[in-house]
Each structure stands twice: as C-alpha cells, then as structure tokens.
Amino acid sequence: MSQPFRSDSTVYDSFIWSGLRLELLDDRIVARLQEPVQALSSAIHPGGFSWADHIVNWKVPLDYRCDDPIADFVHRCEGWGSKAEHTIGMLTAAKLTHASVKELEGDRFKLLCITTSGTRNAARAGLPRQTFSAYEPGTINTVLLIDGQMTESAMVNAVITATEAKAAALHELGIVETANGQLATGTTTDAIAIGVSQRASWQAIHAYAGVATTIGCAIGEAVYETVLEATRTQHEE
C-alpha cells in the first residue's frame, strides 16, 4: 500500500501486471492497459458492463454543474486523445495526489486497487435524509483491476465485497455523517470500477468473490487498506 503521487512522481507502473500504468495528469488519474479488460462500473460513462483499456478518475470543482456530464466527459476524451468508447469515466472532487494504491498476487489472479477519497459528504446508508435529483461530484472512487478470469456474477459479488470493506474502513476511522453523527458507510456519490483481463491462460474462472474466497478476501483487503490510507490523509498536504 502506498501513495505514489505524493512525491514528485506522476507515473506508477504495476509491479505485478506488465503494461498496467497509472498516470497523474493535471486534472485526472488515468489507468492505462495494453489490452482491454471486461469492466463493471457505476461510473458516469459508460456504466454497467463494458470493455475498456482506459479508466479515468477526473477531478472536477466542488461547484461542478452540468446538464449532461456524460456528453461533457466524452467531449473531453477527444481533447485527451482517448477513445471514449473504450474509456470509463469517474468524477471526483478528492485530492488526486493522495490516491492510495495496493497490489496483491494470489490464487490464479493478480490485483491492483487504487482509491481516491473525500468524505465531506459522508453518509450512512439506510437512514432517511434530504435527497436530490441533481448530480453532484465528490466522493470515494475505487478502481479494481484484476488479471484473472471471473464470471459476471462474481464481478457483481466483488462490488458487494468492496463496498463492505469500504464501510469497515470508514468505521475504523470514525467517519460520521454530519447531519446525524452516526458512523458513515460511504459518501453520497461513491463510484467503483472493476476491470478483469479474462485472460484464458489462467485456466481457472473465479465464480464467487465473497470474503471467504481467495480472490474476494484479497479484494476486501485491498479496498479496506486503500480507503483507510486515502481517507486518513485527505486533509494533509
């Protein structure tokens, strides 16, 4: 686990997945892959299942307002030189320099997790509150990149495991929802993206990703530790 962009470094190359690079640019972190991965995301673009070779965590101002953030992101991809149809886009207002990265190698898989965190809009799921139709950025964004094979249902299971780990990390840090003082389970605008290489050479398809499985336990550990680090340091320089 580390925060590679808190130094002067703007590039992080995976130690375990050849060709996987994270790059810090002026207003975004880009995960670049040499081959497309099957992805499942709650990102603004494209969301759901897709295939992608770029995942962008784009920092926007706290007062960002846009009638069509998807069109805005697609337009910016053109300026960035990325093909929008192969790019997943997430928005955040958190410090990109404080992104936390963890890599793990396990039972027929390799995994890289990167999380950015800002908890000014921390919230506890399950409680009534004032709600809004408007889109707002901000958030804990987590990207999980897995070199391995997973079923689509296992990828959905991984979202559950990652969410549980995020909530556990916030409890560990005592992050609360300002409106009621209760421990938060996330923020009001969290997002996640999971990308899986589906490389057949692994010769093993992970059908589950709960915490009792080797891959699920690794996902939980990676998310827990990166959320802890990114959130704990969010107010530091």
Side-chain angles (χ1 to χ4, degrees):
M1 182 178 61
S2 67
Q3 292 179 297
F5 302 130
R6 293 190 71 179
S7 63
D8 292 333
S9 176
T10 58
V11 173
Y12 178 91
D13 289 312
S14 171
F15 293 104
I16 60 176
W17 188 342
S18 178
L20 170 55
R21 167 171 285 189
L22 306 177
E23 187 173 2
L24 174 66
L25 300 168
D26 289 340
D27 59 352
R28 61 199 184 278
I29 293 175
V30 182
R32 305 180 191 273
L33 299 119
Q34 291 185 336
E35 299 291 337
V37 293
Q38 184 180 21
L40 171 62
S41 81
S42 62
I44 62 161
H45 176 79
F49 283 100
S50 64
W51 288 85
D53 54 20
H54 285 68
I55 301 176
V56 177
N57 194 9
W58 175 33
K59 184 177 174 65
V60 296
L62 285 172
D63 60 354
Y64 176 78
R65 295 291 184 276
C66 180
D67 292 335
D68 193 345
I70 298 173
D72 189 18
F73 179 79
V74 169
H75 174 71
R76 289 174 187 271
C77 280
E78 296 174 1
W80 297 335
S82 300
K83 293 183 178 179
E85 61 268 29
H86 296 146
T87 302
I88 292 172
M90 310 166 82
L91 305 189
T92 186
K95 290 180 180 177
L96 299 181
T97 52
H98 287 47
S100 177
V101 179
K102 185 174 179 67
E103 297 194 77
L104 290 167
E105 196 166 1
D107 175 23
R108 300 201 187 186
F109 68 86
K110 298 175 182 178
L111 180 155
L112 181 147
C113 179
I114 177 170
T115 296
T116 55
S117 180
T119 58
R120 63 177 55 84
N121 55 341
R124 183 177 181 87
L127 298 179
R129 64 176 47 81
Q130 184 180 13
T131 57
F132 306 90
S133 296
Y135 177 82
E136 294 191 10
T139 217
I140 298 172
N141 281 353
T142 297
V143 175
L144 280 161
L145 295 169
I146 298 166
D147 187 10
Q149 290 180 281
M150 298 179 75
T151 62
E152 289 188 348
S153 59
M155 292 172 69
V156 174
N157 201 173
V159 174
I160 296 172
T161 298
T163 303
E164 291 172 348
K166 174 190 67 179
L170 295 180
H171 281 207
E172 174 74 16
L173 294 171
I175 302 296
V176 299
E177 180 172 353
T178 303
N180 54 45
Q182 296 204 43
L183 287 169
T185 54
T187 81
T188 57
T189 50
D190 291 345
I192 187 168
I194 296 174
V196 183
S197 71
Q198 304 296 16
R199 204 186 311 273
S201 58
W202 285 101
Q203 298 182 333
I205 300 175
H206 297 276
Y208 308 96
V211 294
T213 66
T214 53
I215 195 168
C217 188
I219 287 168
E221 180 182 340
V223 174
Y224 180 81
E225 293 188 13
T226 58
V227 171
L228 270 180
E229 184 171 57
T231 305
R232 182 186 290 124
T233 62
Q234 64 180 306
H235 301 301
E236 297 177 3
E237 293 299 325

